[in-house]
Amino acid sequence: MMCRCLKVSPSGYYDWESRLPSDRQSDNARLMSRIRQIHEDSQGAIGVPRMHDDLTHEGETASRNRIARLMASEGLQGWPRRKKRGQRAKPALSPPGIENRLNRDFSALEPETKWVTDITEIPTGEGKRFLCVVIDLFNKLVVGWSMHHRQDRQMVIRAVEMAVWQRQDKGSVVLHSDRGSQFRSGDYQRFLKQNALISSMSAVGHCGDNAACEGFFGVLKRERVNRKKYRTRDIARSDVFDYIERFHNPRKRRRVAKLDLEYSAVLETSVEAG
């Protein structure tokens, strides 16, 4: 009866039912399994563009459109960016002798040569919790971070201290920030000089001068903070720790390790050919 209604021959139906999956279907099933795993590891935050980047770094050759179709078929999508009104920053003078050394050049050829730092706020049921991070522009790793219920200079110094403690080379590093009072304080500036850190500051009213750090905060809030309501400051701190140390940094380290292996292979081939 079903075959008559659909105008399909019984032999054709039984042939379709017993037919083995095609190579394309098998490959889609394998790819979909990995997509589900990455999406679950990110707690549902990763969308098509970043999913495509992750799979490409793993050696997959699937196009972005194919990944989009597979994710749509399973109802998987990323967390959209929240739109909000821009706020005009109040002009602030930087300490004497400090200039914008980065000049919006957020590329670094070696680790521990250029760092950026900034502060953002995270709402909780107990009030605001402030987060300060230090990011290495070479590999985008969060090399230092600190949280406190007040955005004072001590919180900033603790974040930079963590980065200094993990530093392998004791050479000088440019550390860029905005002109917040914490970064202009005497204690902060003295700590930088004592640890071979060269202070760099954004121009007045130019938030784009520290876009690398602002970009990290945007991704953190879109993928984790904006999706949750933290009852306490301790819960917020635990979740930020999980994001930085168990999600963001491990992904960046894997990506850098893969690039290093590819570069080593190219270098060996060049040496052999020469």
Side-chain angles (χ1 to χ4, degrees):
M1 183 183 296
M2 182 178 67
C3 289
R4 289 198 302 270
C5 290
L6 298 177
K7 297 182 179 180
V8 175
S9 66
S11 59
Y13 166 73
Y14 288 117
D15 179 67
W16 170 82
E17 187 181 37
S18 59
R19 190 180 304 159
L20 295 175
S22 64
D23 293 341
R24 181 73 169 186
Q25 290 173 328
S26 299
D27 193 52
N28 280 342
R30 178 193 60 81
L31 193 60
M32 194 65 236
S33 176
R34 182 58 184 148
I35 288 174
R36 289 194 201 95
Q37 185 178 357
I38 295 175
H39 196 260
E40 183 178 349
D41 290 343
S42 71
Q43 298 190 13
I46 291 182
V48 173
R50 293 188 65 193
M51 184 68 72
H52 177 258
D53 290 342
D54 285 0
L55 291 173
T56 300
H57 278 283
E58 292 181 1
E60 297 288 350
T61 58
S63 67
R64 181 176 294 190
N65 288 338
R66 181 183 176 189
I67 294 171
R69 286 195 300 270
L70 291 174
M71 291 183 66
S73 67
E74 295 288 324
L76 301 180
Q77 59 183 0
W79 195 254
R81 180 176 300 175
R82 177 183 294 179
K83 296 182 180 180
K84 58 182 180 181
R85 297 173 183 266
Q87 297 178 347
R88 186 179 296 275
K90 294 182 179 180
L93 298 176
S94 58
I98 295 179
E99 57 187 24
N100 186 350
R101 296 178 179 273
L102 287 190
N103 197 23
R104 301 197 181 189
D105 180 9
F106 302 118
S107 60
L109 300 179
E110 296 179 358
E112 299 176 0
T113 54
K114 294 181 182 179
W115 290 350
V116 291
T117 182
D118 204 354
I119 303 171
T120 192
E121 62 180 49
I122 297 174
T124 76
E126 294 179 341
K128 294 178 180 178
R129 185 91 174 185
F130 295 96
L131 168 67
C132 177
V133 300
V134 180
I135 299 175
D136 192 325
L137 292 179
F138 172 72
N139 46 26
K140 306 303 185 293
L141 282 175
V142 178
V143 293
W145 63 281
S146 176
M147 295 186 74
H148 196 52
H149 61 276
R150 292 194 306 270
Q151 51 175 339
D152 54 16
R153 62 184 182 278
Q154 295 303 324
M155 178 189 70
V156 172
I157 291 175
R158 285 195 299 271
V160 179
E161 192 173 28
M162 178 179 177
V164 170
W165 179 74
Q166 297 187 84
R167 185 169 54 173
Q168 301 295 322
D169 187 9
K170 299 304 179 183
S172 60
V173 181
V174 174
L175 179 55
H176 185 83
S177 68
D178 60 21
R179 298 188 181 214
S181 60
Q182 304 85 2
F183 304 110
R184 291 183 287 112
S185 69
D187 290 345
Y188 175 79
Q189 290 297 325
R190 280 191 293 272
F191 180 82
L192 298 193
K193 291 178 181 179
Q194 292 168 1
N195 291 276
L197 300 176
I198 303 172
S199 182
S200 170
M201 286 191 174
S202 303
V204 176
H206 288 71
C207 60
D209 287 351
N210 203 8
C213 218
E214 297 289 352
F216 169 77
F217 286 146
V219 174
L220 165 67
K221 292 186 176 182
R222 184 173 74 250
E223 295 186 346
R224 188 64 63 92
V225 175
N226 291 344
R227 305 170 58 200
K228 298 187 176 183
K229 292 184 178 180
Y230 303 114
R231 285 192 304 106
T232 66
R233 292 189 177 106
D234 288 341
I235 293 176
R237 189 186 190 285
S238 176
D239 198 43
V240 169
F241 171 87
D242 180 80
Y243 182 85
I244 292 176
E245 302 294 352
R246 299 182 61 188
F247 178 69
H248 175 81
N249 279 354
R251 285 163 56 86
K252 295 300 181 183
R253 289 191 182 99
R254 287 196 299 269
R255 185 166 297 183
V256 171
K258 180 176 177 59
L259 292 175
D260 287 344
L261 288 174
E262 292 175 352
Y263 176 76
S264 298
V266 171
L267 187 62
E268 290 179 2
T269 303
S270 300
V271 171
E272 291 175 358

